[in-house]
Amino acid sequence: MRKSKKIAAAAMAAVMMCSLWGCGNSGGGAGTETTSGGGAAAETTTAKAEEGGSGSKTKLTMAVWNGNWAEKLEQAQNTFNSQNPDIELDIQMQTGDYSDFLGAKVASDDLPDIYILTPYKQVQAFAEAGRLKDLSNEPFVDKVYENALDASTYNGKVYGYPANFEYLGVFYNKDLFKQAGIESVPTTREEFEACCEKLQAAGINPIAPTYKDSWTLKHLFSALLTPEVQDDIPGFISKLDSGEGSFDVEGIDEVFAFADIMRKYSGGNMMDQDSTSGFNALANGQAAMLLSGEFSQATVAAMDNPPDIGCFAIPVSSDAAKNKLGVDVGIVYVVNEKTSDFGACQKVLEFLSNADDPEGYIAITTARMGDAPPAMPYEGGVACSSSDDYKAYADAGNIVPWVYQQYVNGFDVISGDIFQGYMAGAKDKDTVIKELNENYKNFLEQ
């Protein structure tokens, strides 16, 4: 009984990473939509076609949340089905809230064969409830970056395929840096402030703000906090989850010191600027820097003559060695424990994780600037400076995860709302820390 309540709460409370994929917080509801454009009702368990000779196919359903990737998923579905004539994969994009969709499917014990979950807590909750297949022996385990598996591991077993790596950092206009006489990217907080001063002196807006949208600030606060707790993130989260932890960690002063620099160099109307205006400001050269994720680069790519945009780790600390690029898994594909054809599901996992197929899922989902790269070494995708910079950080292991993805379910949204008060000047550091601690405990009690 306790597990059922816990898994339902995890499904309902999860705030999906759709904000990073540009798909909002929507997903599934009563109605469903298949990428093939057909199909009246959604099947959520494996069905074998009636015996009919060579025409029989194994039917699989895969549920994903709503977003701007329908065309890519339809292409991936068609490619898989053409490569596997004995299987009919139906990828169903949920048109309502995906959390509600999962909650309903959990309640009716009618989950799809394959579906996506958010990393860490949601995967762990579903695994604890016995709803996921153990995928520890699947080939993708040896393909992906080792630290990517943390997002889909529970009690030492791998329960999902970590499909992509998304990254948060400082995206910067290389030409504007040159105009301001900046020859190298800053690696410390002091160097970052000096960089802002040079840009402003050259008549260039240093930072493109996005602070009207609090979801961008949950990313920012997490990106600033993680380097300060990177030596023991499990310990930090464990203490928070026990109710004994606090956000008043060693190094928290550096977090707020960096935020102060951002407030100083983001313009007088920074709280009126949302993600759309911020992304556009970087894309059209109105600002030199944007603290965001790779998803923001889709706006840059849409320009007729896109600027050359690079990326560097947010230099929150005075210690350059602590400043690493924030990189973490965006989505995890899992397999229903009750699927009646695990062998067919394994073929889908192979397809999803095949980086060598020029027409496969990875090639399809990384074809445009702003697409998240796979969580494995990969030489494909769109060639651009920001992507090259990401690869350099990833290959060197100079990355840290996003601590917010490991918070108790639902708290990440509130953390952005609270930090928004600091950026607006409505709350001081002590008030923010107090509210973060109190709200985290409140979520633990829900």
Side-chain angles (χ1 to χ4, degrees), residues 287-309:
M289 294 183 287
L290 171 72
L291 282 75
S292 188
E294 87 293 327
F295 48 88
S296 66
Q297 298 309 287
T299 303
V300 175
M303 303 296 291
D304 291 336
N305 295 296
D308 188 8
I309 304 295

Side-chain angles (χ1 to χ4, degrees), residues 324-394:
K324 301 175 182 178
L325 192 67
V327 178
D328 215 337
V329 174
I331 59 173
V332 177
Y333 286 95
V334 299
V335 176
N336 187 349
E337 170 61 27
K338 295 185 177 181
T339 183
S340 60
D341 202 319
F342 183 48
C345 292
Q346 288 176 302
K347 290 186 178 181
V348 174
L349 291 175
E350 291 176 10
F351 174 74
L352 295 175
S353 59
N354 185 357
D356 297 324
D357 184 352
E359 298 180 351
Y361 172 83
I362 291 178
I364 292 169
T365 57
T366 61
R368 302 171 185 170
M369 186 176 176
D371 289 340
M376 64 178 69
Y378 180 59
E379 296 303 321
V382 176
C384 62
S385 294
S386 59
S387 177
D388 291 343
D389 291 336
Y390 152 76
K391 289 178 181 178
Y393 279 101

Side-chain angles (χ1 to χ4, degrees), residues 152-163:
S152 59
T153 297
Y154 174 70
N155 280 353
K157 296 181 179 179
V158 177
Y159 285 95
Y161 164 54

Side-chain angles (χ1 to χ4, degrees), residues 4 7-8 44-46 101-113 115 126 129-132 336-339:
S4 296
I7 194 69
T44 53
T45 54
T46 306
F101 165 78
L102 285 181
K105 291 302 181 182
V106 166
S108 61
D109 196 22
D110 191 27
L111 287 162
D113 297 292
Y115 52 103
F126 274 67
R131 298 185 181 276
L132 305 181
N336 187 349
E337 170 61 27
K338 295 185 177 181
T339 183

Side-chain angles (χ1 to χ4, degrees), residues 170-186:
V170 182
F171 292 81
Y172 71 104
N173 186 312
K174 290 191 169 185
D175 290 335
L176 293 182
F177 264 46
K178 290 179 181 178
Q179 289 181 32
I182 302 171
E183 298 180 354
S184 60
V185 298

